[in-house]
């Protein structure tokens, strides 16, 4: 067991985490943030005030007992800390990396009122990354079957929670690898795929079966799943349908949806072509359109593939960007060139229909809209052209309509999201529950997991009450 | 894993595989396709379903060796397995009853047009089939096609089998002879589908084509397979693969099919050297 660090605790500043230098990391796909050492983690954990009424816990969508695991970490009892984490969170190595802690647990940390909030995400990540202490869970099976559609963050969470309640759970996944956006969307340099595999193995270790290459609505329908004796279905199929801009030139060679670009790189490993068979156009000058995390991921990926210029075109200003601050800063450090208050109007091609430029207009911010964000207004006669050979469109996604089209009785709302009851996540169809991006539209990993946890509880209640 | 239970060389470079895939076989309909990935470093490629047997739990796929993946596939033997096989994908072919339909299969397209012709015949249609290829050695399934057709025309570009010329020639003869056609269904190369659809346009004969753009996931999540149909962007994997041939922007489709030509050539060269035991020559390697 490591010894307690003897140095005096400085509660003001958080322990910095080592990172690859920007000049180095833009040449590889290895993780940017390198994680804490045991000593660093203990020191950081000792900054925690162990509040009587901890606010941090309220900020966590899956309700981790943060003071407890932090206290265990501070004392070097890392195995116990892991057990505490896994009591409520099935995928801590992922959450510690990709959660927007600054707007969740860390936002509520009392230290943050005056100084830096406790680095809860980094501590979670440190504990989860320790291989030696895989916690085993005692499960009493109840012999009842539940199906989960999709193996993204929502599906994995619902499946793991239901398995721990004793259900026999089968996940149906359309792609050839489990993980959803964790494997095809978020790049290796933010979330190594080996980490995702390890977390998926943990879920499988709880007795969850994952059926790959199973497309709901095509390979099997939800009605057929019920006919096979499953008592409830949780739909966590996400929001994977890309939005295009519907501007001229969008079908030119070299124009990608961010989904296609990132799937080729992350899932198919096109960055290792020709050792891997999937090709990708490696642009010299790349325009990424959008201001969210997906846009940042696409831009930083393009840079790592050798682009000399990567322009990030966003129609509002930096303040309005929905991307996490940390991602935005990382992107800047890596030399991504921000083209703010600009909106593409046309993509221009050469005689072989390859992209050669993108035409944009300048924007200015008008009054705030219903959502409180200031809406951009076009400035007349402000057209400008950027010479690029690749365009990546990252302006959002919506739910894939395949499941709704093939399942009678499922009600949908705006942008094709599934309508569910609050708290229970029940859909309009008996026995079918849903959570994550298919319900909320494209949101965060952790909110999908939070919804899935609620839904798992509701599914348990539904099945228990069915007998009465 | 999906075991290959039967392998037959149908024509030069054209191989048939009957593969175990019970879930897909149970649901497959004519006109649908699957996505396959051979091994862990492999890419995902779409292959149209040429036949299926729900009872036996197998689907039949036909592939033409043109690039690395299809060459690798052609080297697999009975008893070997394909790592991933997802489907059935896309919409089934739209059927009509008691009409007169011309079914055209060009080259590899002969395989997937077969189950469509068979079903159209079973639905009481008069089925006139036209199968064609560049040369005689690329033709196959003449007898199978004859068995589900009321009339069968064979064409080759070089005249080595059947009539010399293109599929459009016997089709135009039918139209010019005043045969009333309710529908033309075409599966073949983009250029063949374009030329043939152009020929039927002035005669107002409804012409359905099965498009073959580049695909990745095949489930509607990326838009790699997008095509312009009637001025609107469609995803061939979920909205198609069949579309009204008179509405398709074929020039755009053909340009998009050429997008990765350099990389495809490189991957094949490297693989060919590897299987022939010659050190890989990477002189034509684009920037890494």
């Amino acid at each position: 067991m490591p010894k307690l660090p003897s140095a005096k605790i400085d509660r003001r500043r958080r322990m910095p985490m080592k990172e690859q230098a920007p000049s180095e990391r833009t040449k590889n796909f290895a993780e940017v943030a390198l994680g804490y050492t045991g000593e660093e983690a203990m020191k950081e954990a000792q900054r925690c005030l162990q509040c009587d009424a901890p606010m941090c816990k309220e900020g966590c969508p899956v309700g981790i007992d943060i003071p407890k695991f932090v206290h265990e970490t501070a004392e070097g009892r890392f195995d116990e800390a892991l057990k505490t984490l896994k009591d409520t969170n099935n995928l801590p190595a992922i959450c510690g990396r990709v959660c927007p802690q600054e707007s969740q647990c860390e936002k509520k940390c009392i230290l943050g009122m005056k100084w830096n909030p406790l680095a809860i995400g980094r501590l979670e990540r440190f504990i989860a990354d320790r291989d030696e202490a895989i916690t085993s869970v005692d499960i009493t099976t109840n012999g009842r079957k539940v199906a989960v559609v999709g193996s993204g963050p929502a599906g994995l969470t619902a499946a793991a929670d239901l398995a721990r309640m004793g259900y026999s759970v089968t996940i149906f996944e359309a792609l050839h690898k489990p993980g959803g956006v964790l494997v095809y969307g978020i790049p290796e340099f933010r979330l190594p795929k080996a980490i995702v595999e390890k977390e998926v193995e943990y879920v499988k270790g709880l007795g969850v079966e994952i059926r790959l290459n199973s497309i709901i609505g095509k390979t099997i329908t939800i009605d057929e799943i019920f006919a096979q004796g499953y008592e409830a279905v949780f739909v966590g199929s996400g929001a994977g349908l890309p939005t295009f801009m519907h501007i001229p030139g969008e079908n030119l060679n070299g124009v990608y949806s961010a989904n296609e670009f990132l799937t080729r790189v992350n899932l198919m490993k096109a960055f290792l072509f020709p050792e891997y068979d999937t090709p990708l156009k490696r642009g010299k000058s790349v325009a990424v359109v959008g201001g969210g995390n997906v846009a940042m991921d696409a831009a930083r990926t393009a840079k790592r593939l050798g682009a000399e210029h990567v322009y990030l075109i966003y129609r509002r200003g930096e303040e309005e960007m929905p991307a996490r601050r940390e991602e935005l800063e990382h992107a800047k450090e890596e030399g991504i060139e921000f083209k703010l208050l600009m909106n593409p109007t046309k993509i221009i091609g050469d005689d072989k229909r390859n992209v050669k430029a993108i035409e944009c207009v300048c924007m200015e911010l008008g009054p705030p809209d219903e959502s409180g964000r200031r809406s951009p207004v076009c400035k007349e006669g402000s057209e400008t052209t950027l010479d690029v050979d690749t365009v990546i469109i990252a302006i959002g996604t919506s739910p894939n309509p395949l499941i709704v089209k093939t399942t009678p009785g499922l009600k949908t709302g705006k942008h094709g999201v599934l309508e569910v009851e609050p708290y229970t996540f029940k859909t309009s169809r008996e026995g079918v529950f849903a959570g994550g991006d298919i319900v909320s539209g494209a949101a965060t990993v952790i909110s999908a997991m939070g919804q899935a946890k609620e839904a798992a509880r509701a599914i348990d209640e539904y099945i228990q009450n069915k007998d009465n | 894993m999906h075991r290959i239970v039967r392998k037959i060389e149908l024509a030069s470079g054209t191989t048939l595989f009957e593969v175990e895939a019970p879930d897909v076989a149970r649901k497959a309909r004519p006109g649908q396709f699957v996505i396959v990935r051979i091994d862990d470093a492999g890419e995902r490629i779409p292959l149209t379903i040429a036949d299926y047997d729900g009872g036996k739990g197998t689907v039949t796929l036909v592939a033409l060796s043109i690039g690395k993946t299809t060459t690798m596939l052609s080297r697999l033997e009975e008893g070997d397995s394909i790592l991933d096989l997802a489907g059935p994908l896309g919409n089934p072919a739209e059927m009509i009853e008691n009409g007169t339909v011309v079914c055209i299969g060009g080259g590899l397209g002969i395989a997937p047009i077969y189950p469509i012709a068979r079903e159209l015949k079973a639905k009481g249609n008069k089925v006139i089939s036209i199968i064609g290829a560049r040369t005689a050695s690329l033709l196959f399934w003449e007898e199978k096609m004859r068995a589900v057709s009321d009339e069968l025309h064979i064409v080759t570009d070089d005249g080595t089998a059947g009539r010399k010329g293109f599929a459009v020639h016997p089709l135009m003869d039918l139209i010019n002879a005043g045969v009333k056609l309710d529908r033309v269904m075409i599966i073949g190369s983009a250029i063949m589908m374009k030329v043939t659809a152009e020929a039927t346009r002035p005669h107002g004969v409804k012409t359905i084509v099965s498009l073959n753009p580049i695909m990745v996931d095949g489930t509607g999540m990326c838009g790699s397979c997008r095509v312009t149909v009637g001025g609107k962007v469609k995803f061939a994997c979920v909205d198609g693969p069949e579309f009204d041939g008179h509405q398709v922007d074929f020039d755009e489709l053909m340009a998009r099919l050429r997008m990765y030509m350099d990389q495809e050539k490189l991957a094949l060269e490297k693989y060919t050297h590897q299987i022939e035991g010659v050190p890989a020559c990477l002189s034509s390697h684009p920037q890494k």
Side-chain angles (χ1 to χ4, degrees):
Chain A
M1 180 145 313
K3 280 198 184 114
L4 280 175
S6 53
K8 199 172 163 289
I9 305 157
D10 179 355
R11 286 220 153 81
R12 287 171 300 175
R13 269 181 296 276
R14 63 166 55 181
M15 176 64 65
M17 181 161 58
K18 282 177 206 72
E19 282 182 352
Q20 280 197 75
S23 58
E24 203 45 52
R25 71 191 192 224
T26 50
K27 297 190 190 85
N28 64 55
F29 277 82
E31 202 173 7
V32 169
L34 299 171
Y36 281 156
T37 62
E39 196 178 327
E40 287 166 346
M42 286 167 74
K43 270 192 186 166
E44 176 62 22
Q46 285 160 21
R47 291 179 60 227
C48 176
L49 295 170
Q50 291 293 316
C51 305
D52 286 334
M55 300 290 286
C56 53
K57 215 173 143 177
E58 285 170 29
C60 174
V62 297
I64 292 175
D65 191 343
I66 294 167
K68 185 162 181 261
F69 104 82
V70 171
H71 180 63
E72 286 157 348
T73 306
E75 295 191 339
R77 291 183 283 130
F78 301 147
D79 295 358
E80 286 162 59
L82 183 62
K83 198 171 170 307
T84 305
L85 275 178
K86 289 221 162 165
D87 274 344
T88 43
N89 187 345
N90 301 297
L91 313 166
I94 292 165
C95 291
R97 285 175 168 81
V98 303
C99 274
Q101 289 100 4
E102 68 275 12
S103 55
Q104 297 175 334
C105 55
E106 293 178 14
K107 186 184 181 184
K108 303 247 173 156
C109 173
I110 205 87
L111 286 174
M113 303 274 287
K114 241 172 129 179
W115 304 312
N116 290 160
L118 186 73
I120 300 166
R122 293 175 178 184
L123 291 174
E124 179 182 27
R125 169 188 162 153
F126 165 75
I127 293 297
D129 278 356
R130 287 170 35 80
D131 279 319
E132 50 265 58
I134 295 293
T135 48
S136 62
V137 184
D138 286 332
I139 294 170
T140 321
T141 52
N142 62 17
R144 313 186 75 156
K145 284 164 48 170
V146 178
V148 169
V149 178
S151 66
L156 288 172
T157 300
D161 278 12
L162 287 161
R164 293 167 68 146
M165 292 172 197
Y167 293 95
S168 166
V169 183
T170 308
I171 298 182
F172 295 87
E173 166 56 48
L175 289 173
H176 60 260
K177 271 201 182 121
V181 75
L182 306 172
V183 292
Y184 76 74
I186 303 176
E188 189 78 20
F189 55 83
R190 278 216 291 140
L191 179 63
K193 299 310 143 216
I195 300 278
V196 180
E197 269 168 40
K198 203 179 112 190
E199 303 266 60
V200 169
E201 282 310 308
Y202 171 76
V203 174
K204 281 193 193 160
L206 300 171
V208 172
E209 185 205 346
I210 304 183
R211 263 189 232 167
L212 301 172
N213 299 313
S214 291
I215 303 118
I216 301 302
K218 291 288 180 187
T219 314
I220 187 168
T221 63
I222 287 186
D223 289 332
E224 288 163 339
I225 288 176
F226 278 118
Q228 288 181 13
Y230 291 90
E231 295 185 58
V233 178
F234 173 78
V235 181
S237 55
L241 183 76
T243 308
F244 283 92
M245 288 184 293
H246 308 293
I247 58 171
E250 216 164 11
N251 287 359
L252 288 167
N253 286 353
V255 182
Y256 288 99
S257 71
N259 262 11
E260 180 186 354
F261 182 76
L262 292 171
T263 299
R264 284 180 180 269
V265 178
N266 298 326
L267 179 70
M268 307 310 297
K269 305 214 183 297
F271 68 98
L272 298 174
F273 180 87
E275 283 78 47
Y276 282 73
D277 294 337
T278 302
L280 180 80
K281 196 174 163 198
R282 286 173 182 244
K284 277 205 167 70
S285 284
V286 181
V288 178
V289 185
N293 288 321
V294 176
M296 298 299 151
D297 286 345
R300 296 172 69 197
T301 299
K303 193 81 188 179
R304 282 162 173 77
L305 289 166
E308 286 157 26
H309 292 283
V310 179
Y311 304 107
L312 194 119
I313 303 173
Y314 182 55
R315 61 195 183 130
R316 293 182 165 98
E318 191 175 315
E319 282 304 301
E320 289 77 24
M321 274 196 181
R324 288 184 67 190
R325 293 298 106 174
E326 191 187 330
E327 304 311 325
L328 209 147
E329 291 309 323
H330 277 150
K332 278 187 185 169
E333 287 168 11
E334 290 167 13
I336 308 301
E337 297 160 59
F338 285 55
K339 298 283 177 189
L340 302 171
L341 291 163
M342 260 197 187
N343 204 24
T345 46
K346 189 178 173 185
I347 303 166
I348 302 158
D350 63 15
D351 54 357
K352 292 200 172 100
R353 294 184 185 239
N354 294 320
V355 172
K356 70 170 189 189
I358 185 164
E359 191 184 277
C360 305
V361 284
C362 295
M363 312 292 281
E364 52 197 352
L365 289 180
D369 60 14
E370 319 99 77
S371 71
R373 275 202 301 183
R374 296 175 65 193
S375 31
V377 190
C378 204
K379 274 203 272 192
E380 288 299 320
S382 63
E383 286 81 6
T384 139
T385 302
L386 289 168
D387 289 337
V388 294
D389 55 16
T390 306
V391 175
I392 302 167
I393 300 165
I395 57 167
T397 55
S398 57
N400 191 319
L402 208 54
I403 291 176
V404 173
K405 271 206 291 198
T406 55
T407 310
L410 278 185
K411 257 194 213 152
T412 52
K414 216 173 147 193
H415 304 303
V417 298
L418 278 187
E419 274 183 14
V420 291
E421 280 179 15
Y423 311 112
T424 65
F425 294 91
K426 270 185 189 162
T427 67
S428 53
R429 175 78 194 266
E430 167 91 23
V432 180
F433 298 72
D437 284 0
I438 189 149
V439 165
S440 48
T444 60
V445 167
I446 190 71
S447 69
M449 291 174 54
Q451 293 184 4
K453 272 193 117 56
E454 298 285 324
R457 245 175 260 148
I459 288 170
D460 180 43
E461 201 173 298
Y462 163 77
I463 293 179
Q464 300 299 334
N465 290 340
K466 243 173 50 158
D467 300 338
N468 304 335
Chain B
M1 297 287 271
H2 302 269
R3 206 164 57 94
I4 296 166
V5 297
R6 196 159 62 100
K7 177 190 179 182
I8 301 169
E9 182 154 353
L10 292 180
S12 168
T14 309
T15 318
L16 173 149
F17 297 95
E18 191 179 340
V19 185
E20 279 176 355
D23 294 344
V24 183
R26 205 163 26 236
K27 302 289 289 243
R29 303 296 308 137
Q32 290 187 297
F33 66 94
V34 295
I35 293 271
V36 302
R37 193 175 72 123
I38 299 177
D39 63 17
D40 205 47
E43 60 180 338
R44 295 166 66 98
I45 62 160
L47 292 174
T48 312
I49 296 170
D51 214 341
Y52 46 88
D53 186 332
K56 221 168 130 192
T58 60
V59 292
T60 299
L61 309 172
V62 178
L64 177 68
S65 308
I66 40 167
K68 179 184 174 183
T69 301
T70 44
T71 305
M72 273 175 83
L73 189 62
S74 72
R75 290 169 59 88
L76 294 179
E77 300 300 336
E78 286 174 7
D80 289 345
S81 289
I82 293 170
L83 182 58
D84 297 300
L85 194 155
L89 296 164
N91 296 312
E94 193 192 294
M95 287 292 149
I96 58 168
E97 289 173 14
N98 309 319
T100 302
V101 186
V102 179
C103 290
I104 304 178
L108 188 65
I110 299 167
I113 202 75
Y114 167 73
I116 295 176
R118 182 180 60 189
E119 181 141 331
L120 281 165
K121 180 76 190 148
K123 290 202 180 295
N125 293 286
K126 179 177 182 195
V127 175
I128 303 169
S129 296
I130 305 172
I131 60 173
R134 271 190 291 116
T135 188
S137 65
L138 292 169
L139 272 179
F140 57 93
W141 281 9
E142 291 153 50
E143 289 319 307
K144 262 183 104 144
M145 284 302 290
R146 202 183 302 280
V148 298
S149 309
D150 294 277
E151 240 177 70
L152 177 73
H153 300 264
I154 295 167
V155 291
T156 48
D157 295 9
D158 60 3
T160 46
R163 174 173 170 182
K164 183 172 165 39
F166 303 116
V168 69
H169 296 132
L171 175 65
M172 287 317 290
D173 288 351
L174 289 165
I175 291 174
N176 292 334
V179 179
K180 194 192 153 287
L181 302 178
D182 295 293
R183 184 164 297 193
V184 176
M185 316 261 315
I186 320 173
I187 307 182
S189 65
I191 184 68
M192 184 270 248
M193 292 192 285
K194 177 188 170 172
V195 167
T196 314
E198 274 316 313
T200 60
R201 187 196 299 274
H203 302 278
V205 178
K206 187 162 182 183
T207 302
I208 305 294
V209 293
S210 175
L211 301 187
N212 56 342
I214 295 171
M215 290 188 188
V216 184
D217 62 288
T219 63
M221 64 171 266
C222 85
S224 168
C225 66
R226 61 195 190 274
V227 289
T228 303
V229 181
K232 290 207 174 74
V233 175
K234 301 276 178 190
F235 290 4
C237 71
V238 287
D239 299 319
E242 289 188 351
F243 294 101
D244 180 344
H246 297 149
Q247 302 284 321
V248 171
D249 183 340
F250 280 105
D251 293 338
E252 179 185 275
L253 172 70
M254 288 187 280
R256 286 183 67 79
L257 282 167
R258 287 193 294 268
M259 183 148 161
Y260 299 106
M261 229 160 51
D262 293 346
Q263 283 106 318
E264 283 162 8
K265 209 176 129 215
L266 172 72
L268 179 62
E269 255 170 39
K270 193 173 165 259
Y271 178 65
T272 311
H273 285 302
Q274 192 188 315
I275 56 180
E276 288 169 0
V278 180
C281 163
L282 296 176
S283 57
S284 60
H285 199 313
Q287 92 281 358
K288 179 109 194 269

